[in-house]
Amino acid sequence: MPYLGSEDTVRELRRALSNPNVQSDQLRYRNTILKVIRAMSQGVDVSGLFSEMVKACATVDIVQKKLVYVFLCSYATLNPELSLLVINTLRKDCQDPNPMVRSLALRNMTNLRLPSLVEYVEQPLTAGLRDRAACVRRVAVLGWAKLHNLQPNSEIDAAVVNELYSLLRDPDPVVMVNCLRALEEILREEGGVAINKPITHHLLNRLKECDVWGQCEVLRILQRYRPQSEDELFDILSLLDAALVSPHPPVMAATLSLFLSLCSTLPAVSLAALERVRGPLLAACGSVSREMRFTALCHIQLLLRSLPGLMGAHYKRFFCGYAEPAYIKQRKMQVLVELVNDENVAMLLDELKGYCTDVNTDTAQAAISAIGRIGRSYSDRCLEILTGLLGLKQEHITSAVVQTMRDLVWVCPQCSETVCLALEGCEETLQDSQGRQALLWLLSVYGERVSSAPYTLEVFIDGVRSETSLGVKMELLTTTMRLFMCRPAETQDMLGRLLHYCIEEETDMCVRDQALLYYRLLQCGIEETRKVLQGRRSDPSLGVLIGRPAEPISQWASSFNTLEPLRQGTVETESASRGSPEHASFDPKPNTDLSDTLDCSQIERVHSGSDSTSGCTDSSADVLASSVAVPLSLSLSPALSPEEFERLWLQRLALHAERGAEKLEEEDYICFEERIHCPAIPQCSPQSLQAAMQLVNIQTMAFTPPHTLPWRVYLYTHTQQGHSGDTPHSTLILGELLYTGEGNQRAVVTKGIDGGEVVEGSEEELVKEGEEATAYGLSRRESARKDGEEQDVKVTLKQQPRDDKALKGFLSILTTVLHTLSSERN
């Protein structure tokens, strides 16, 4: 929208700029130009004054030059022909005795951004690189980067590149840093500026001369250099030691990132570096800048993944202030959850309890969710606080407490009795759909223990016509059906009314189809209905899968001092708060290295699209090298019958035997093997194993009794992984756990490599071939295994369609469950 009165304004300004009396008075002329700039900043189109402003640039007044150059750079692209008129003035100013005028002319000559003026700009820029004034050299160096950005396809003269490299030893530190930035821009297609040993040592020795952002730039570029010896490495670390505790958080973060990059093979040195930055990070958490505080908290969460006790003694520094914004309070509460131990749990819970009544509803709900996560380790204390919060009868507090109890009872079945007693009367306060869904889920699972469950459902069913939430209606159907299985006399009439409404009057097809499914299921008989609707229950005797082991620093080092920690925290906050336990979500960490977390000997992979002549064998460090960068979700829907599982499991072996590996290259399929050291797993009871798998939505299809050899377990799950800009990608994973014992270790060969060829076939054929190979002495590899490896459990996974990231995330989840069960058994 044009500025009102712009034509009259432009006409008046043109008259003033053309007035000889104004031009003869330097002060009046400058004030008129200032009015033009003021009108331009207010949105007035003053491009018609371009020719008058070109005449005004021919002056010795530096202030007037600056004002005119601002105008010319703003409207040069609209007047490319008239812009040629100012080039002579600019080139003349580039030879002015005043270095300020020379630098100003060079800067604005490159800021015109006109390809037609490039030939006029190159010569002044080349002369500016050799100028005796540092301010001119600074502008000239960055001018070559602007020139390359203006014409990215043109080749920069090699002499200019060599000149920029030589200016890395310029006595002015700003010129040195500007050369690094310019070379990064110009040589981007070649990988940026080349860093060798002399350049590295020169930059390190002059690091203290640079300003804060110059030091950050130098430290970022130095991450490309790899020391040639251990002595050189420690010399570099000694030079960086002072910057590691710098009072400037950006310098400290960049230095630590360089430390972690250089010490990737020295975990002890990396841990010592993390210990040293504790003080600067805590100081950054008390910064006046809110953005700095938030960033420091995100990076502290990153460090706690490898050093859980790093901030344990300073937990009070993460208590929330009254005037702090909600996003900082929520991030501090996430850190507090990581710092809980037996000594401070009482104080932390008391502090979090105070946040539960915060005036900001998001902060209050985040505090309640944090108490629930602590409740996985200290359930009695946390349930006492959550039950007390229900007495406040506040809508948002009650909703958050019910959802937290729903999540807590899923992983802590021993809390079910207390939760069932606390649910009495909650329906009167709940108004939001998420809270009502959580209440209905609890009633569906533990309805036989809640005396008022039928009366609560009756309130929901009577108001189903005014219900607007689709999720509540579908949860209500499931809850009523499940409660009918255990309390039919009290629920039969309500179920009939609900099914009649959903089938005859409901307009939403999802609700109607679900009601029709339940109605037809009831026609098949109560026993058939019970088989389908019997909810999965957690075994109360099973130890809770809580906590996480310290992760290797290599898993997150590459994301330190980037925006990745900020994004990860946002995903964790959203995914950890809500959602039905029927679909457990996991957020695998980026750059997960299986060789750091699993005790494995060799991974053998057979998939389509690979080179069949290579034997399809990869080391554990190479397989599935792509990192898991997006959240992974496991689900049991759609369910597989035993017959379907057997058909899918044997299908690929049969196809391979008929068509050969070369014809399967286009198949979207992958087969993967791994060995996990957990010798106590075969002694676990089938109930404990099944309950542990179901906690993470992995379904066990069949398993042999404990203490039998060979011991097998067959399982499956569906993975869902969201890709940027696409719909979630779903895959099916079939798995087998095999333990042969010491005596049978050599007699079972499921898949191997012999003489560079992949040995495959059905299970019976492979066992037979393994026995024949043993008889002829061809299984020397099996006999050469270490004694400890004979107790490994072999995991065979088959996935379709192929998704390396999802398969890698699933293997990490499965390994965590097996290791936890094995440690509890021991």
Side-chain angles (χ1 to χ4, degrees), residues 448-478:
E448 71 277 7
R449 304 185 192 178
V450 183
S451 59
S452 61
Y455 309 103
T456 302
L457 283 184
E458 189 171 13
V459 174
F460 281 94
I461 293 173
D462 291 342
V464 70
R465 285 180 171 81
S466 58
E467 180 61 55
T468 58
S469 173
L470 172 63
V472 172
K473 291 180 180 180
M474 300 184 73
E475 196 72 54
L476 181 60
L477 273 169
T478 303

Side-chain angles (χ1 to χ4, degrees), residues 381-398:
R381 299 183 183 184
C382 295
L383 280 176
E384 182 180 353
I385 296 176
L386 295 175
T387 305
L389 291 173
L390 290 176
L392 298 177
K393 302 296 183 182
Q394 295 290 326
E395 177 184 338
H396 66 282
I397 294 179
T398 303

Side-chain angles (χ1 to χ4, degrees), residues 326-337:
Y327 60 90
I328 291 183
K329 289 182 179 181
Q330 295 172 19
R331 190 53 59 100
K332 282 188 173 182
M333 285 185 276
Q334 293 179 19
V335 176
L336 287 175
V337 172

Side-chain angles (χ1 to χ4, degrees), residues 147-404:
L147 210 62
H148 177 74
N149 192 23
L150 187 62
Q151 292 183 331
N153 296 327
S154 62
E155 294 184 1
I156 299 294
D157 189 3
V160 175
V161 176
N162 293 335
E163 187 80 18
L164 292 176
Y165 270 112
S166 65
L167 284 176
L168 288 176
R169 298 188 177 274
D170 192 274
D172 186 71
V174 178
V175 175
M176 178 186 70
V177 175
N178 286 356
C179 283
L180 288 175
R181 293 168 176 162
L183 288 171
E184 281 287 287
E185 184 73 21
I186 295 172
L187 304 176
R188 178 178 299 176
E189 295 183 358
E190 302 177 15
V193 57
I195 301 296
N196 53 25
K197 183 176 180 178
I199 293 178
T200 300
H201 287 235
H202 171 73
L203 294 177
L204 287 172
N205 289 324
R206 298 192 57 189
L207 188 63
K208 295 182 180 179
E209 302 177 16
C210 304
D211 59 3
V212 172
W213 300 112
Q215 293 183 41
C216 294
E217 185 73 17
V218 171
L219 292 169
R220 181 185 64 82
I221 293 177
L222 287 179
Q223 292 189 17
R224 302 176 190 166
Y225 181 70
R226 287 295 172 265
Q228 301 174 3
S229 65
E230 188 172 334
D231 293 338
E232 183 186 0
L233 170 62
F234 283 101
D235 289 341
I236 294 176
L237 296 182
S238 299
L239 292 173
L240 294 173
D241 187 68
L244 196 60
V245 290
S246 171
H248 305 289
V251 177
M252 177 272 298
T255 307
L256 181 58
S257 180
L258 179 56
F259 250 86
L260 299 179
S261 176
L262 294 174
C263 303
S264 57
T265 58
L266 301 172
V269 179
S270 300
L271 292 175
L274 297 184
E275 292 281 355
R276 292 209 64 193
V277 301
R278 173 170 48 197
L281 278 175
L282 289 173
C285 289
S287 173
V288 178
S289 171
R290 294 177 174 181
E291 293 78 7
M292 186 65 69
R293 274 182 282 166
F294 180 76
T295 305
L297 289 170
C298 294
H299 284 77
I300 284 175
Q301 283 185 286
L302 208 61
L303 267 61
L304 291 177
R305 289 165 53 178
S306 294
L307 286 177
L310 180 64
M311 302 291 179
H314 307 277
Y315 64 92
K316 292 184 179 180
R317 299 288 295 270
F318 302 100
F319 285 176
C320 302
Y322 177 79
E324 286 183 327
Y327 60 90
I328 291 183
K329 289 182 179 181
Q330 295 172 19
R331 190 53 59 100
K332 282 188 173 182
M333 285 185 276
Q334 293 179 19
V335 176
L336 287 175
V337 172
E338 300 288 338
L339 302 180
V340 172
N341 54 43
D342 294 340
E343 299 177 357
N344 60 25
V345 61
M347 183 173 291
L348 288 183
L349 287 177
D350 186 63
E351 184 73 16
L352 290 173
K353 182 180 178 181
Y355 305 153
C356 294
T357 55
D358 194 276
V359 292
N360 187 296
T361 57
D362 292 335
T363 301
Q365 292 178 344
I368 295 171
S369 179
I371 293 176
R373 292 197 296 275
I374 296 176
R376 301 182 181 185
S377 305
Y378 305 93
S379 55
D380 295 338
R381 299 183 183 184
C382 295
L383 280 176
E384 182 180 353
I385 296 176
L386 295 175
T387 305
L389 291 173
L390 290 176
L392 298 177
K393 302 296 183 182
Q394 295 290 326
E395 177 184 338
H396 66 282
I397 294 179
T398 303
S399 174
V401 169
V402 172
Q403 294 177 66
T404 301

Side-chain angles (χ1 to χ4, degrees), residues 756-777:
E757 298 180 357
V758 179
V759 182
E760 293 188 359
S762 63
E763 295 178 3
E764 293 79 10
E765 293 174 350
L766 291 171
V767 172
K768 182 178 179 181
E769 292 174 4
E771 293 174 349
E772 293 175 356
T774 303
Y776 286 100

